[in-house]
């Protein structure tokens, strides 16, 4: 946006101002040129009338821009002489056109994002949800506008307790349920309640965000390797952790289900010390395509050692930032004593709407429809891969659950090259390696060996297929094959 000096005149392309007003654009342009030294200190600026005539704009627009520059100290006015640039050589500014990377909050444009754990929003019964939202907004003002209990509205907590009893076999008191805006928020409250001396353990590979949150709160954390039955309890014992985060019904990204023997070992670990607890993350467990849903640890917990976490962002829509946790009675009392001063972070009308949505059976019907759609989507993706050149250099590992699977590819490409070539094809690709957790000492030798054994020297891709539009499915697989030179 630099000015061109023509016979002492400032020239700017006003057509490039975007959504800015003429006055704002002119002021910002002159300000930046002064700050960057393109208009030197002491330079006399054109008169308001001459600059207005030169740029074909109103004198009032130039006056407003000059006045703003004078107010901020970039320009001074001298009676009967005009406007002069001040010395601002010590000032450093960012270009008004520059943007901090990521500051826009917009994701890069991909043909298909295979990394994001998306949902198919087209399946969501938006009309039904909209009706319940309108009903919630029409409630008497004393219902809608009163303060929300710290743990969420009783109506929603009762609905969730009933839903968990029907679908998970969990006998839960509504008083033990805490509503929050996202699992990350609730996890942060747990970290704060349990204190900075509590050491947390994570499945490795696993969900990196919880490890990052633990680190941000200053809690020590330990990555613990897994095998074909899930988290290794002997390694957990050696880690010195007090609390462990697990996903026993559908481990991410492997899809492993923790069998009963390993679950009993985990309960034994928790019962050996009073301060030990298990955080059960049941996210995405609703999408299982054969057999019954896997029972949660919480349903078999006889010692009140399990904290249950789940969210509605995957079963409904990502924008619905409503999650919940179920606390054992002793931890609930502790939470009330130490955390109840925090206000509930979810608006009352969304909670009212969700309570009705659950009570009227819409959540379970929606999950059933979505599960059937994802089953067909998964079968279609696997069929396309089997009929593509990828079939000659890869094999799929999937466990009839979730909305992703692992694709093992025999390729000479490095991981960075796979990502780069994928981006060139308009694909955002996620690799198994992305979910390996490294603490201060890096990967443990046992984790490294187990991963090498697990991958067998192949490159493992984590393909999330839920968000692929059906009409783009064939082209997505074709582009994915083009990533690997072995398919040419």
């Amino acid at each position: 946006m630099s000015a061109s000096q023509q016979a002492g005149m400032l020239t700017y392309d006003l057509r490039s101002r975007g959504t800015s007003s003429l006055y704002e654009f002119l002021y910002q342009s002159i300000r930046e040129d002064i700050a960057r030294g393109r208009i030197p200190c002491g330079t006399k600026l054109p008169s308001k009338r001459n600059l207005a005539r030169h740029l074909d704009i109103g004198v009032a627009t130039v006056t407003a821009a000059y006045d703003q520059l004078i107010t901020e100290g970039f320009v001074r006015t001298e009676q009967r002489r005009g406007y002069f640039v001040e010395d601002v050589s010590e000032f450093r500014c960012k270009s008004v056109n520059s943007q901090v990377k990521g500051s826009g909050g917009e994701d890069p444009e991909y043909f298909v994002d295979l990394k994001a754990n998306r949902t198919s929003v087209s399946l969501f019964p938006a009309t039904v949800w909209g009706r319940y939202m309108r009903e919630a907004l029409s409630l008497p003002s004393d219902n809608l506008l009163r303060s929300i209990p710290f743990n969420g509205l009783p109506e929603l907590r009762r609905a969730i307790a009933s839903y968990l009893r029907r679908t998970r076999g969990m006998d839960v008191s509504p008083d033990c349920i805490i509503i929050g805006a996202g699992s990350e928020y609730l996890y942060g409250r747990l970290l704060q309640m349990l204190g900075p001396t509590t050491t947390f353990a994570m499945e490795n590979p696993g969900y990196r965000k919880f490890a990052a949150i633990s680190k941000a709160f200053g809690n020590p954390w330990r990555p613990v390797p897994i095998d074909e039955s899930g988290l290794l309890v002997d390694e957990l014992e050696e880690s010195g952790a007090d609390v462990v985060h697990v996903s026993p019904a559908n481990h991410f990204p492997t899809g492993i289900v923790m069998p009963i023997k390993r679950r009993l070992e985990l309960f034994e670990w928790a019962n050996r010390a009073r301060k030990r607890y298990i955080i059960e993350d049941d996210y995405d467990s609703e999408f299982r395509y054969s057999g019954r849903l896997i029972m949660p640890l919480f349903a078999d917990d006889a010692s009140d050692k399990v904290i249950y976490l789940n969210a509605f962002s995957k079963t409904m829509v990502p924008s619905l930032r409503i999650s919940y946790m179920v606390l054992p009675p002793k931890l609930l009392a502790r939470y009330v004593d130490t955390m109840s001063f925090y206000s509930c972070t979810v608006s009352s009308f969304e909670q009212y709407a969700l309570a009705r949505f659950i009570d009227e059976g819409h959540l379970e019907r929606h999950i059933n429809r979505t599960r059937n759609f994802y089953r067909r989507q998964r079968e279609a993706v696997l069929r396309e891969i089997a009929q593509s050149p990828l079939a000659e250099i890869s094999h799929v590992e999937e466990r009839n659950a979730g909305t992703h699977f692992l694709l093992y590819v025999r390729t000479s490409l490095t991981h960075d090259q796979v990502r780069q070539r994928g981006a060139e094809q308009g694909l955002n690709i996620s690799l198994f390696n992305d979910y390996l957790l490294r603490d201060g000492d890096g990967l443990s030798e046992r984790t490294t060996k187990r991963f090498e054994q697990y991958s067998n020297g192949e490159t493992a891709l984590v393909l999330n297929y839920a968000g692929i539009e059906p009409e783009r499915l064939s082209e997505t697989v074709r582009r994915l094959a083009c990533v690997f030179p072995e398919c040419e």
Side-chain angles (χ1 to χ4, degrees), residues 364-407:
E364 290 165 73
R365 287 193 288 272
H366 173 62
I367 290 174
N368 289 335
R369 285 193 301 268
T370 306
R371 185 187 299 118
N372 290 332
F373 172 81
Y374 288 153
R375 180 189 292 111
R376 295 191 298 269
Q377 181 90 332
R378 162 181 153 272
E379 292 170 353
V381 174
L382 294 175
R383 186 167 54 249
E384 289 286 344
I385 290 176
Q387 296 171 354
S388 77
L390 283 169
E392 299 297 322
I393 64 166
S394 69
H395 70 275
V396 170
E397 182 176 302
E398 56 93 26
R399 300 171 187 264
N400 291 311
T403 57
H404 73 277
F405 55 78
L406 300 179
L407 180 69

Short mmCIF file of all heavy atoms in Angstrom, two decimals, residues 364-407:
data_model
loop_
_atom_site.label_atom_id
_atom_site.label_comp_id
_atom_site.label_asym_id
_atom_site.label_seq_id
_atom_site.Cartn_x
_atom_site.Cartn_y
_atom_site.Cartn_z
N GLU A 364 -31.01 -40.22 20.24
CA GLU A 364 -30.77 -41.62 19.89
C GLU A 364 -31.15 -41.92 18.45
O GLU A 364 -30.44 -42.68 17.77
CB GLU A 364 -31.53 -42.52 20.87
CG GLU A 364 -30.93 -42.50 22.28
CD GLU A 364 -31.86 -43.08 23.33
OE1 GLU A 364 -32.01 -44.31 23.33
OE2 GLU A 364 -32.41 -42.30 24.12
N ARG A 365 -32.24 -41.33 17.96
CA ARG A 365 -32.60 -41.55 16.55
C ARG A 365 -31.55 -40.95 15.62
O ARG A 365 -31.20 -41.55 14.59
CB ARG A 365 -33.99 -40.94 16.28
CG ARG A 365 -35.12 -41.74 16.88
CD ARG A 365 -36.47 -41.30 16.32
NE ARG A 365 -36.86 -40.00 16.81
CZ ARG A 365 -37.55 -39.79 17.93
NH1 ARG A 365 -37.89 -40.82 18.69
NH2 ARG A 365 -37.90 -38.58 18.29
N HIS A 366 -31.05 -39.77 15.99
CA HIS A 366 -30.01 -39.14 15.16
C HIS A 366 -28.73 -39.97 15.16
O HIS A 366 -28.10 -40.16 14.10
CB HIS A 366 -29.72 -37.73 15.68
CG HIS A 366 -28.56 -37.07 15.01
ND1 HIS A 366 -28.53 -36.79 13.66
CD2 HIS A 366 -27.36 -36.65 15.51
CE1 HIS A 366 -27.37 -36.22 13.35
NE2 HIS A 366 -26.65 -36.14 14.46
N ILE A 367 -28.34 -40.50 16.31
CA ILE A 367 -27.14 -41.33 16.36
C ILE A 367 -27.31 -42.58 15.50
O ILE A 367 -26.39 -42.99 14.79
CB ILE A 367 -26.81 -41.70 17.83
CG1 ILE A 367 -26.32 -40.45 18.58
CG2 ILE A 367 -25.76 -42.81 17.89
CD1 ILE A 367 -26.11 -40.69 20.07
N ASN A 368 -28.48 -43.17 15.55
CA ASN A 368 -28.72 -44.36 14.72
C ASN A 368 -28.62 -44.05 13.24
O ASN A 368 -28.02 -44.81 12.46
CB ASN A 368 -30.10 -44.95 15.05
CG ASN A 368 -30.14 -45.61 16.42
OD1 ASN A 368 -29.11 -46.03 16.93
ND2 ASN A 368 -31.31 -45.68 17.01
N ARG A 369 -29.22 -42.93 12.82
CA ARG A 369 -29.12 -42.54 11.40
C ARG A 369 -27.67 -42.26 11.01
O ARG A 369 -27.21 -42.68 9.94
CB ARG A 369 -29.96 -41.27 11.14
CG ARG A 369 -31.45 -41.51 11.09
CD ARG A 369 -32.16 -40.28 10.51
NE ARG A 369 -31.89 -39.08 11.30
CZ ARG A 369 -32.66 -38.67 12.30
NH1 ARG A 369 -33.73 -39.37 12.66
NH2 ARG A 369 -32.36 -37.57 12.96
N THR A 370 -26.97 -41.54 11.88
CA THR A 370 -25.59 -41.19 11.59
C THR A 370 -24.71 -42.43 11.54
O THR A 370 -23.84 -42.56 10.68
CB THR A 370 -25.05 -40.22 12.65
OG1 THR A 370 -25.93 -39.09 12.75
CG2 THR A 370 -23.66 -39.72 12.31
N ARG A 371 -24.94 -43.36 12.45
CA ARG A 371 -24.16 -44.60 12.46
C ARG A 371 -24.35 -45.37 11.14
O ARG A 371 -23.39 -45.87 10.56
CB ARG A 371 -24.58 -45.47 13.64
CG ARG A 371 -23.73 -46.72 13.80
CD ARG A 371 -24.28 -47.64 14.88
NE ARG A 371 -24.28 -47.00 16.18
CZ ARG A 371 -25.38 -46.76 16.89
NH1 ARG A 371 -26.57 -47.08 16.41
NH2 ARG A 371 -25.29 -46.17 18.07
N ASN A 372 -25.57 -45.44 10.67
CA ASN A 372 -25.83 -46.12 9.39
C ASN A 372 -25.15 -45.40 8.22
O ASN A 372 -24.62 -46.05 7.31
CB ASN A 372 -27.34 -46.22 9.14
CG ASN A 372 -28.02 -47.18 10.09
OD1 ASN A 372 -27.41 -48.13 10.58
ND2 ASN A 372 -29.29 -46.95 10.37
N PHE A 373 -25.18 -44.08 8.26
CA PHE A 373 -24.52 -43.32 7.19
C PHE A 373 -23.01 -43.57 7.20
O PHE A 373 -22.40 -43.81 6.15
CB PHE A 373 -24.79 -41.82 7.37
CG PHE A 373 -24.00 -40.95 6.44
CD1 PHE A 373 -24.41 -40.74 5.13
CD2 PHE A 373 -22.82 -40.34 6.88
CE1 PHE A 373 -23.67 -39.94 4.27
CE2 PHE A 373 -22.07 -39.54 6.03
CZ PHE A 373 -22.50 -39.34 4.72
N TYR A 374 -22.40 -43.51 8.39
CA TYR A 374 -20.95 -43.72 8.47
C TYR A 374 -20.57 -45.14 8.07
O TYR A 374 -19.50 -45.37 7.50
CB TYR A 374 -20.44 -43.41 9.88
CG TYR A 374 -20.45 -41.93 10.22
CD1 TYR A 374 -20.57 -41.50 11.54
CD2 TYR A 374 -20.34 -40.97 9.23
CE1 TYR A 374 -20.58 -40.15 11.86
CE2 TYR A 374 -20.36 -39.62 9.54
CZ TYR A 374 -20.48 -39.22 10.86
OH TYR A 374 -20.49 -37.89 11.16
N ARG A 375 -21.43 -46.10 8.37
CA ARG A 375 -21.16 -47.48 7.95
C ARG A 375 -21.09 -47.55 6.43
O ARG A 375 -20.17 -48.15 5.86
CB ARG A 375 -22.22 -48.43 8.49
CG ARG A 375 -21.98 -49.88 8.08
CD ARG A 375 -23.14 -50.78 8.43
NE ARG A 375 -23.28 -50.95 9.87
CZ ARG A 375 -24.27 -50.47 10.60
NH1 ARG A 375 -25.23 -49.74 10.02
NH2 ARG A 375 -24.32 -50.68 11.89
N ARG A 376 -22.06 -46.94 5.76
CA ARG A 376 -22.07 -46.94 4.29
C ARG A 376 -20.88 -46.15 3.74
O ARG A 376 -20.26 -46.56 2.74
CB ARG A 376 -23.37 -46.35 3.77
CG ARG A 376 -24.61 -47.18 4.10
CD ARG A 376 -25.82 -46.69 3.32
NE ARG A 376 -26.16 -45.31 3.66
CZ ARG A 376 -27.00 -44.97 4.62
NH1 ARG A 376 -27.57 -45.91 5.38
NH2 ARG A 376 -27.28 -43.70 4.86
N GLN A 377 -20.56 -45.03 4.40
CA GLN A 377 -19.43 -44.21 3.97
C GLN A 377 -18.13 -45.00 4.08
O GLN A 377 -17.29 -44.99 3.17
CB GLN A 377 -19.36 -42.95 4.84
CG GLN A 377 -18.24 -41.99 4.49
CD GLN A 377 -18.65 -40.96 3.46
OE1 GLN A 377 -19.53 -41.24 2.64
NE2 GLN A 377 -18.02 -39.81 3.48
N ARG A 378 -17.96 -45.68 5.20
CA ARG A 378 -16.76 -46.49 5.41
C ARG A 378 -16.64 -47.58 4.35
O ARG A 378 -15.57 -47.79 3.77
CB ARG A 378 -16.82 -47.09 6.81
CG ARG A 378 -15.93 -48.27 7.08
CD ARG A 378 -16.15 -48.76 8.51
NE ARG A 378 -15.85 -50.17 8.67
CZ ARG A 378 -16.72 -51.14 8.48
NH1 ARG A 378 -17.96 -50.86 8.09
NH2 ARG A 378 -16.37 -52.39 8.66
N GLU A 379 -17.74 -48.27 4.07
CA GLU A 379 -17.71 -49.34 3.06
C GLU A 379 -17.37 -48.78 1.69
O GLU A 379 -16.62 -49.41 0.91
CB GLU A 379 -19.06 -50.06 3.04
CG GLU A 379 -19.33 -50.86 4.31
CD GLU A 379 -20.76 -51.36 4.38
OE1 GLU A 379 -21.58 -50.97 3.50
OE2 GLU A 379 -21.07 -52.13 5.32
N ALA A 380 -17.90 -47.59 1.37
CA ALA A 380 -17.63 -46.98 0.07
C ALA A 380 -16.16 -46.58 -0.06
O ALA A 380 -15.54 -46.80 -1.12
CB ALA A 380 -18.53 -45.77 -0.14
N VAL A 381 -15.58 -46.01 1.00
CA VAL A 381 -14.17 -45.62 0.96
C VAL A 381 -13.28 -46.85 0.81
O VAL A 381 -12.35 -46.87 -0.01
CB VAL A 381 -13.79 -44.83 2.23
CG1 VAL A 381 -12.30 -44.55 2.25
CG2 VAL A 381 -14.56 -43.52 2.30
N LEU A 382 -13.56 -47.88 1.57
CA LEU A 382 -12.76 -49.11 1.49
C LEU A 382 -12.87 -49.73 0.10
O LEU A 382 -11.89 -50.26 -0.44
CB LEU A 382 -13.20 -50.10 2.56
CG LEU A 382 -12.95 -49.68 4.02
CD1 LEU A 382 -13.56 -50.70 4.98
CD2 LEU A 382 -11.47 -49.51 4.29
N ARG A 383 -14.05 -49.67 -0.49
CA ARG A 383 -14.25 -50.22 -1.84
C ARG A 383 -13.45 -49.42 -2.86
O ARG A 383 -12.81 -50.01 -3.76
CB ARG A 383 -15.75 -50.21 -2.17
CG ARG A 383 -16.09 -50.88 -3.49
CD ARG A 383 -17.59 -51.12 -3.60
NE ARG A 383 -18.37 -49.90 -3.41
CZ ARG A 383 -19.15 -49.67 -2.35
NH1 ARG A 383 -19.24 -50.57 -1.39
NH2 ARG A 383 -19.83 -48.55 -2.26
N GLU A 384 -13.46 -48.10 -2.74
CA GLU A 384 -12.70 -47.26 -3.68
C GLU A 384 -11.20 -47.54 -3.57
O GLU A 384 -10.50 -47.60 -4.57
CB GLU A 384 -12.98 -45.78 -3.40
CG GLU A 384 -14.37 -45.31 -3.80
CD GLU A 384 -14.53 -45.18 -5.30
OE1 GLU A 384 -13.51 -45.16 -6.02
OE2 GLU A 384 -15.68 -45.09 -5.75
N ILE A 385 -10.71 -47.71 -2.35
CA ILE A 385 -9.28 -47.99 -2.16
C ILE A 385 -8.93 -49.34 -2.77
O ILE A 385 -7.89 -49.50 -3.43
CB ILE A 385 -8.92 -47.96 -0.66
CG1 ILE A 385 -9.00 -46.51 -0.14
CG2 ILE A 385 -7.53 -48.54 -0.41
CD1 ILE A 385 -8.77 -46.37 1.35
N ALA A 386 -9.80 -50.33 -2.56
CA ALA A 386 -9.54 -51.67 -3.10
C ALA A 386 -9.49 -51.68 -4.62
O ALA A 386 -8.83 -52.53 -5.23
CB ALA A 386 -10.61 -52.64 -2.60
N GLN A 387 -10.18 -50.74 -5.25
CA GLN A 387 -10.23 -50.68 -6.72
C GLN A 387 -9.23 -49.70 -7.31
O GLN A 387 -9.19 -49.51 -8.52
CB GLN A 387 -11.65 -50.29 -7.17
CG GLN A 387 -12.71 -51.31 -6.79
CD GLN A 387 -14.12 -50.81 -7.04
OE1 GLN A 387 -14.34 -49.66 -7.41
NE2 GLN A 387 -15.11 -51.70 -6.85
N SER A 388 -8.40 -49.08 -6.44
CA SER A 388 -7.45 -48.07 -6.89
C SER A 388 -6.03 -48.64 -6.88
O SER A 388 -5.78 -49.72 -6.32
CB SER A 388 -7.51 -46.85 -5.97
OG SER A 388 -6.83 -47.11 -4.75
N PRO A 389 -5.06 -47.92 -7.47
CA PRO A 389 -3.66 -48.37 -7.41
C PRO A 389 -3.13 -48.50 -5.99
O PRO A 389 -2.13 -49.18 -5.76
CB PRO A 389 -2.92 -47.27 -8.18
CG PRO A 389 -3.94 -46.68 -9.09
CD PRO A 389 -5.23 -46.75 -8.34
N LEU A 390 -3.79 -47.84 -5.03
CA LEU A 390 -3.35 -47.95 -3.64
C LEU A 390 -3.41 -49.39 -3.14
O LEU A 390 -2.65 -49.78 -2.24
CB LEU A 390 -4.23 -47.08 -2.74
CG LEU A 390 -3.96 -45.57 -2.74
CD1 LEU A 390 -5.07 -44.84 -2.01
CD2 LEU A 390 -2.62 -45.26 -2.10
N ALA A 391 -4.30 -50.19 -3.70
CA ALA A 391 -4.47 -51.57 -3.23
C ALA A 391 -3.19 -52.38 -3.36
O ALA A 391 -2.95 -53.31 -2.58
CB ALA A 391 -5.60 -52.25 -4.00
N GLU A 392 -2.33 -52.02 -4.32
CA GLU A 392 -1.10 -52.78 -4.56
C GLU A 392 0.00 -52.46 -3.56
O GLU A 392 0.93 -53.25 -3.40
CB GLU A 392 -0.59 -52.49 -5.98
CG GLU A 392 -1.55 -52.88 -7.08
CD GLU A 392 -1.82 -54.38 -7.09
OE1 GLU A 392 -0.86 -55.15 -6.84
OE2 GLU A 392 -2.98 -54.78 -7.32
N ILE A 393 -0.10 -51.32 -2.89
CA ILE A 393 1.00 -50.91 -2.00
C ILE A 393 0.53 -50.66 -0.57
O ILE A 393 1.29 -50.11 0.23
CB ILE A 393 1.69 -49.63 -2.53
CG1 ILE A 393 0.71 -48.45 -2.52
CG2 ILE A 393 2.28 -49.85 -3.91
CD1 ILE A 393 1.38 -47.10 -2.70
N SER A 394 -0.68 -51.05 -0.23
CA SER A 394 -1.20 -50.69 1.09
C SER A 394 -2.11 -51.78 1.64
O SER A 394 -2.54 -52.68 0.92
CB SER A 394 -1.97 -49.38 1.02
OG SER A 394 -3.18 -49.54 0.29
N HIS A 395 -2.39 -51.67 2.92
CA HIS A 395 -3.44 -52.47 3.54
C HIS A 395 -4.11 -51.63 4.61
O HIS A 395 -3.51 -50.69 5.16
CB HIS A 395 -2.90 -53.77 4.13
CG HIS A 395 -2.04 -53.59 5.34
ND1 HIS A 395 -0.69 -53.32 5.27
CD2 HIS A 395 -2.34 -53.64 6.68
CE1 HIS A 395 -0.19 -53.22 6.47
NE2 HIS A 395 -1.16 -53.40 7.35
N VAL A 396 -5.35 -51.95 4.88
CA VAL A 396 -6.17 -51.17 5.81
C VAL A 396 -6.30 -51.92 7.12
O VAL A 396 -6.47 -53.14 7.14
CB VAL A 396 -7.57 -50.91 5.21
CG1 VAL A 396 -8.51 -50.32 6.26
CG2 VAL A 396 -7.47 -49.98 4.01
N GLU A 397 -6.23 -51.18 8.22
CA GLU A 397 -6.54 -51.73 9.53
C GLU A 397 -7.68 -50.92 10.12
O GLU A 397 -7.53 -49.72 10.35
CB GLU A 397 -5.32 -51.67 10.44
CG GLU A 397 -5.58 -52.27 11.82
CD GLU A 397 -4.34 -52.29 12.69
OE1 GLU A 397 -3.35 -52.90 12.28
OE2 GLU A 397 -4.40 -51.68 13.78
N GLU A 398 -8.80 -51.56 10.31
CA GLU A 398 -9.94 -50.87 10.91
C GLU A 398 -10.72 -51.87 11.75
O GLU A 398 -10.67 -53.07 11.54
CB GLU A 398 -10.82 -50.23 9.83
CG GLU A 398 -11.32 -51.18 8.76
CD GLU A 398 -12.67 -51.74 9.09
OE1 GLU A 398 -13.40 -51.06 9.83
OE2 GLU A 398 -12.98 -52.84 8.63
N ARG A 399 -11.44 -51.34 12.73
CA ARG A 399 -12.05 -52.19 13.76
C ARG A 399 -13.56 -51.98 13.86
O ARG A 399 -14.13 -52.07 14.93
CB ARG A 399 -11.37 -51.94 15.10
CG ARG A 399 -9.87 -52.24 15.07
CD ARG A 399 -9.16 -51.79 16.34
NE ARG A 399 -7.72 -51.94 16.22
CZ ARG A 399 -7.01 -52.98 16.66
NH1 ARG A 399 -7.64 -54.00 17.24
NH2 ARG A 399 -5.70 -53.03 16.52
N ASN A 400 -14.18 -51.65 12.73
CA ASN A 400 -15.63 -51.50 12.71
C ASN A 400 -16.14 -50.50 13.73
O ASN A 400 -17.16 -50.70 14.38
CB ASN A 400 -16.32 -52.84 12.95
CG ASN A 400 -16.14 -53.79 11.80
OD1 ASN A 400 -16.35 -53.42 10.64
ND2 ASN A 400 -15.71 -55.01 12.07
N ALA A 401 -15.38 -49.40 13.89
CA ALA A 401 -15.79 -48.41 14.87
C ALA A 401 -15.22 -47.06 14.49
O ALA A 401 -14.29 -46.96 13.68
CB ALA A 401 -15.31 -48.80 16.26
N GLY A 402 -15.79 -46.00 15.09
CA GLY A 402 -15.28 -44.65 14.87
C GLY A 402 -15.56 -44.15 13.46
O GLY A 402 -16.40 -44.70 12.73
N THR A 403 -14.87 -43.10 13.09
CA THR A 403 -15.05 -42.52 11.75
C THR A 403 -13.70 -42.36 11.06
O THR A 403 -13.50 -41.46 10.26
CB THR A 403 -15.74 -41.14 11.86
OG1 THR A 403 -14.97 -40.29 12.72
CG2 THR A 403 -17.15 -41.28 12.40
N HIS A 404 -12.77 -43.25 11.37
CA HIS A 404 -11.47 -43.23 10.72
C HIS A 404 -10.91 -44.66 10.69
O HIS A 404 -11.42 -45.56 11.37
CB HIS A 404 -10.49 -42.31 11.46
CG HIS A 404 -10.01 -42.90 12.75
ND1 HIS A 404 -10.72 -42.80 13.93
CD2 HIS A 404 -8.89 -43.61 13.05
CE1 HIS A 404 -10.08 -43.42 14.89
NE2 HIS A 404 -8.96 -43.93 14.39
N PHE A 405 -9.89 -44.86 9.87
CA PHE A 405 -9.15 -46.12 9.90
C PHE A 405 -7.70 -45.83 9.57
O PHE A 405 -7.35 -44.71 9.17
CB PHE A 405 -9.75 -47.16 8.94
CG PHE A 405 -9.87 -46.70 7.51
CD1 PHE A 405 -8.76 -46.66 6.68
CD2 PHE A 405 -11.10 -46.32 7.00
CE1 PHE A 405 -8.87 -46.24 5.36
CE2 PHE A 405 -11.22 -45.89 5.68
CZ PHE A 405 -10.10 -45.85 4.87
N LEU A 406 -6.84 -46.82 9.77
CA LEU A 406 -5.42 -46.69 9.48
C LEU A 406 -5.14 -47.32 8.12
O LEU A 406 -5.56 -48.44 7.84
CB LEU A 406 -4.58 -47.38 10.55
CG LEU A 406 -4.74 -46.87 11.98
CD1 LEU A 406 -3.85 -47.66 12.94
CD2 LEU A 406 -4.42 -45.39 12.08
N LEU A 407 -4.42 -46.57 7.28
CA LEU A 407 -3.99 -47.06 5.97
C LEU A 407 -2.47 -47.16 5.98
O LEU A 407 -1.78 -46.14 6.06
CB LEU A 407 -4.46 -46.11 4.86
CG LEU A 407 -4.06 -46.51 3.44
CD1 LEU A 407 -4.83 -47.75 3.01
CD2 LEU A 407 -4.32 -45.36 2.46
#
